[in-house]
Amino acid sequence: MSEEKHGKMFSDEQVKPFLPSAEFKSKALARDDKLYKKAEKDRLSFWADMAAELDWSQKWEAVLDDSNPPFYRWFTGGKLNISANCLDRHVNNGLGDKRALIFEGEKGDTAQLTYSELLEEVCKFSSVLRKLEVDKGDAVTIWMPMVPEAIVAMLACTRIGAVHSVVFGGFSPEALKDRILDSKSKVLVTADGAFRRGKTIPMRVAAEEILPLCESIQSVVTVERTGTGYEPMDGRDYRWEDLMADADSCFDPEPMDAEDPLFILYSSGTTGKPKGILHTGGGYLVGVNTTFKYVFDHQPDDVFWCTADIGWITGHSYIIYGPLSNGATTMIYEGVPDYPERDRFWELVEKYGVTVFYTAPTAIRSFMRWGNHFPAKRDLSSLRLLGSVGEPINPEAWIWYHEHIGRGKCPIVDTWWQTETGMIMITPLPGVTPLKPGSATKPFPGVEMDIVDEKGNSTGPGQRGFLVAKSPWPAMLRTLHGDPDRYLYTYWKQYEGIYFTGDGAWRDADGNFWIMGRVDDVLNVSGHRIGTMEVESALVDHPSVAEAAVIGKVHEIKGHAITAFVTLKEGIEGSDELAAELKKHVGKAIGAIARPEEVFFTYELPKTRSGKIMRRLLRDIAEQRDLGDVTTLMDPQVVAAIKDGYTEKQ
Ligand code: PRX
């Protein structure tokens, strides 16, 4: 990242704290520091109290089993079912007629499901999965657009005790294949297609090319969304609608051990192979139930809209499990914010009376660029609280969000967390915490974060360091699926006994955390994590490419834009056509989100004498900074030549 730029962006010099209004505070669930005090006094008894808000078919014996760190176990001996906590519990408490889910399609088609209706659908799909011979512990891959069936499928997995692996619908079939192979899923749940900006994107037919390679898949269930045709295979393919038509609408939830796997979610790391982040049920639900309740100050008549896709952790935790375990009304929208018009989101806020809105800084920066008149022409008065997630929010975007979306009266919760953490870790409590634009403020009660130097010592105010978690938390990842060694060395080897987040951060004099972004080779593009190595391996997989180095160049809207420096095989010349082909090639291997914005051809890459590619220098070139010391390079002239060529091309 550009230190200069981000250093300025995240300085708190001119920042005056924003305080919640008296009105907000008077109704807020947390109005003072009681929760912090309680957690400080006894962290484990704090989490035990939070866990007691859920329904357990058998109470836990120990809150935390830390006998084999870092393979921590929470609420051991306890049994619960996630879908029962998200659905049956509320129906039994008289909330059966409350809206659980609001869906709006890109074309404006809508569906609303009450808690009773959602429960019925989930029971039906649970019966379907059982019929398809999915047992407790089996994996199911879900590759779908943002439609209610995706949520039904996830909850049904949790009801029968299957492990879901949701693959973002925008990932390519190739990426889907890798994830199916790794999770050894028995069933693929998908759709015939998705709507995107008025176009139809085929899904089921696109999956055809990889299905013969996925031996574990016994059944494919396809939801009809776009009417896109495909060739069903007898004995393997089923239409969702046919299966649901005669499915049993009663299905008893399977009592699950708190530490039974709940889901795998693949996320990018610093190697070419995505990490299968494994979460288990009990601690995860306690974590997301508690954070949803207090961070979003859940009120019974809220309409909560988190704009993430269910294919990411934000979708898992704060579209589905956090809101539903709280009995909230959660909303999903199938499309993008600027189709058919750039006020589509604000139209939906107005239409459904959204009260709490949670999105990513990259979206906010786009809204800013599109102009104030889009939100101004809509009635946003229902909004009472705003949230931000996925990347650092620059103070300019924060202030715009506050003024133009929150009309100066909504607190903003800037929430820092990760796929690995499962739940929000650093965040304001909106009725309590003075807000500083650009800072995620303080660790959530019961969460112990620190910023340390290279030796693991806490840094003082204003000093940059590495963000770590000093003690385990209930929704933490338990391991990396099939690769416990990678779990150990990725997160627990930098510092003995503490969790390394991969982020850089600093703290101000008031103890607020300011996140500076990744310190490893992971990029944050529009709030999504992309591993540089993943893109590089996709590039070198192309027959013309010899070597590739990928960096994130600071980008006004996206946070980072992917820039690839590529050397070609002997006798092959770089051209605009080849650059376009390589971008397409990466799109096919991973998905459109990983497609490089820029491909720059060079005859050599800057390497140290031991052959390590110096991405830092490439970043300096791309962001037009002075190149520091280049004497350790194998051939210092290479970098000068790249710099000249690159600058000329801009
Ligand atoms: O770098 C941090 C950034 O996103 C990373 C986690 O990415 P992912 O696992 O895809 O989860 C994103 C949604 C939870 C973190 O390591 N990040 C996330 N939230 C923030 C953030 N950076 C700064 N401020 C945030 N609020």
Side-chain angles (χ1 to χ4, degrees):
M1 97 159 41
S2 155
E3 297 247 323
E4 225 172 82
K5 186 154 183 214
H6 284 259
K8 200 154 29 115
M9 278 164 91
F10 299 113
S11 110
D12 67 340
E13 277 157 7
Q14 346 81 316
V15 173
K16 64 169 175 50
F18 288 73
L19 298 171
S21 67
E23 199 209 335
F24 188 95
K25 205 178 173 102
S26 69
K27 296 183 189 146
L29 289 178
R31 299 169 207 177
D32 51 34
D33 59 2
K34 267 195 213 115
L35 280 179
Y36 293 102
K37 286 257 162 65
K38 191 174 152 80
E40 254 163 50
K41 199 165 148 225
D42 187 343
R43 201 169 57 85
L44 295 186
S45 96
F46 168 81
W47 284 118
D49 285 356
M50 297 298 135
E53 296 195 4
L54 299 174
D55 270 359
W56 297 77
S57 51
Q58 187 173 306
K59 202 181 165 202
W60 59 90
E61 284 150 20
V63 177
L64 172 66
D65 170 2
D66 55 3
S67 57
N68 182 25
F71 297 94
Y72 296 101
R73 294 156 53 81
W74 284 81
F75 306 107
T76 49
K79 283 193 190 296
L80 82 173
N81 181 280
I82 304 295
S83 82
N85 272 285
C86 291
L87 302 169
D88 310 54
R89 187 161 61 106
H90 307 309
V91 173
N92 296 339
N93 287 340
L95 291 180
D97 292 334
K98 181 174 177 177
R99 278 183 309 181
L101 180 64
I102 299 174
F103 161 75
E104 169 108 2
E106 189 182 80
K107 294 184 166 173
D109 50 324
T110 64
Q112 307 208 16
L113 278 89
T114 63
Y115 272 92
S116 298
E117 289 164 343
L118 185 57
L119 174 60
E120 189 178 331
E121 292 298 294
V122 168
C123 285
K124 283 191 342 200
F125 199 63
S126 303
S127 313
V128 165
L129 287 175
R130 244 320 116 73
K131 245 195 189 150
L132 297 176
E133 295 173 1
V134 179
D135 289 322
K136 205 165 162 171
D138 287 342
V140 172
T141 293
I142 299 170
W143 187 55
M144 305 225 358
M146 287 282 285
V147 290
E149 289 86 346
I151 295 176
V152 170
M154 290 166 77
L155 287 163
C157 287
T158 74
R159 196 165 189 86
I160 71 169
V163 181
H164 62 64
S165 162
V166 182
V167 177
F168 171 54
F171 275 133
S172 67
E174 219 21 58
L176 170 68
K177 180 196 78 188
D178 295 342
R179 288 156 177 79
I180 291 177
L181 291 180
D182 191 80
S183 63
K184 301 192 179 59
S185 289
K186 262 191 173 171
V187 173
L188 170 66
V189 186
T190 185
D192 57 352
F195 292 117
R196 203 84 184 151
R197 293 180 198 281
K199 290 205 188 91
T200 299
I201 317 249
M203 292 183 85
R204 172 61 191 82
V205 76
E208 197 54 58
E209 62 185 89
I210 57 108
L211 280 172
L213 306 170
C214 301
E215 277 181 10
S216 60
I217 295 287
Q218 296 173 0
S219 319
V220 179
V221 181
T222 306
V223 172
E224 183 175 334
R225 178 69 191 135
T226 53
T228 311
Y230 58 93
E231 285 291 320
M233 187 207 268
D234 268 354
R236 186 193 67 187
D237 270 289
Y238 302 91
R239 293 178 70 241
W240 171 284
E241 299 72 19
D242 294 344
L243 293 172
M244 292 292 269
D246 47 33
D248 195 340
S249 58
C250 288
F251 193 101
D252 285 341
E254 191 73 44
M256 300 297 291
D257 194 279
E259 281 295 329
D260 278 335
L262 177 65
F263 63 81
I264 304 171
L265 187 54
Y266 289 88
S267 183
S268 296
T270 50
T271 73
K273 190 174 177 279
K275 305 182 280 198
I277 292 170
L278 182 92
H279 284 282
T280 57
Y284 173 78
L285 198 66
V286 172
V288 297
N289 183 59
T290 311
T291 46
F292 178 82
K293 178 172 172 180
Y294 291 109
V295 175
F296 298 110
D297 182 45
H298 178 55
Q299 306 286 338
D301 50 359
D302 272 337
V303 174
F304 179 76
W305 183 16
C306 162
T307 68
D309 190 283
I310 45 148
W312 308 112
I313 191 68
T314 310
H316 283 53
S317 300
Y318 299 108
I319 291 177
I320 305 176
Y321 296 113
L324 296 180
S325 67
N326 274 278
T329 299
T330 187
M331 177 168 136
I332 57 170
Y333 168 54
E334 182 184 32
V336 292
D338 56 347
Y339 183 85
E341 286 297 334
R342 288 175 162 180
D343 68 343
R344 184 71 167 121
F345 274 18
W346 319 128
E347 181 195 345
L348 294 180
V349 169
E350 182 179 81
K351 178 171 174 184
Y352 293 106
V354 172
T355 56
V356 183
F357 178 75
Y358 189 35
T359 198
T362 187
I364 299 167
R365 290 191 292 264
S366 298
F367 303 144
M368 279 173 83
R369 203 168 66 175
W370 295 340
N372 302 345
H373 53 291
F374 289 110
K377 67 180 181 186
R378 296 289 178 180
D379 178 2
L380 305 183
S381 58
S382 56
L383 288 171
R384 61 176 197 89
L385 177 59
L386 302 174
S388 167
V389 59
E391 51 184 315
I393 179 163
N394 45 311
E396 298 87 320
W398 196 104
I399 286 166
W400 185 89
Y401 195 30
H402 191 256
E403 272 175 26
H404 294 276
I405 307 304
R407 298 154 337 276
K409 69 168 188 135
C410 303
I412 298 178
V413 285
D414 174 2
T415 60
W416 179 93
W417 58 297
Q418 307 178 300
T419 310
E420 290 86 343
T421 69
M423 64 184 229
I424 292 169
M425 300 287 275
I426 305 178
T427 177
L429 293 185
V432 181
T433 317
L435 305 174
K436 290 191 183 181
S439 168
T441 71
K442 305 273 169 72
F444 187 79
V447 170
E448 296 182 315
M449 305 296 295
D450 198 1
I451 299 170
V452 297
D453 62 18
E454 251 141 38
K455 294 201 178 94
N457 301 316
S458 289
T459 55
Q463 246 182 298
R464 289 159 183 230
F466 303 103
L467 183 66
V468 296
K470 285 196 301 188
S471 58
W473 62 100
M476 65 192 293
L477 80 166
R478 297 305 196 259
T479 188
L480 294 178
H481 177 65
D483 202 348
D485 288 345
R486 190 172 177 196
Y487 168 68
L488 281 174
Y489 70 72
T490 308
Y491 306 108
W492 301 95
K493 282 292 168 222
Q494 283 80 357
Y495 308 106
E496 221 25 68
I498 58 179
Y499 170 86
F500 177 62
T501 64
D503 277 14
W506 62 281
R507 223 172 336 213
D508 65 22
D510 299 325
N512 290 301
F513 285 67
W514 298 73
I515 314 294
M516 292 155 57
R518 305 288 308 183
V519 293
D520 53 13
D521 288 327
V522 173
L523 309 179
N524 193 324
V525 180
S526 302
H528 301 313
R529 238 158 93 167
I530 315 250
T532 47
M533 290 276 283
E534 257 175 278
V535 183
E536 286 165 7
S537 21
L539 283 166
V540 295
D541 177 51
H542 188 278
S544 304
V545 174
E547 269 192 312
V550 163
I551 56 132
K553 175 173 164 180
V554 169
H555 186 279
E556 205 191 328
I557 306 282
K558 298 180 175 180
H560 281 127
I562 299 177
T563 299
F565 291 83
V566 169
T567 63
L568 294 170
K569 289 198 178 134
E570 201 62 36
I572 298 179
E573 282 288 313
S575 64
D576 288 349
E577 290 71 42
L578 184 55
E581 191 181 314
L582 294 182
K583 290 180 191 176
K584 214 169 135 200
H585 183 75
V586 175
K588 190 162 184 309
I590 307 174
I593 49 164
R595 194 180 297 180
E597 185 113 336
E598 252 185 314
V599 172
F600 181 78
F601 297 108
T602 166
Y603 73 95
E604 185 49 288
L605 293 170
K607 290 183 188 152
T608 60
R609 288 190 195 117
S610 59
K612 192 172 172 282
I613 296 173
M614 294 285 285
R615 290 195 187 80
R616 180 180 58 78
L617 289 175
L618 294 172
R619 259 192 315 264
D620 288 343
I621 292 173
E623 288 167 8
Q624 290 167 14
R625 268 191 305 275
D626 286 343
L627 304 176
D629 182 13
V630 294
T631 51
T632 55
L633 289 181
M634 196 161 6
D635 179 357
Q637 304 210 330
V638 167
V639 70
I642 301 177
K643 187 172 182 182
D644 290 347
Y646 186 86
T647 314
E648 204 175 291
K649 228 180 152 218
Q650 295 306 296

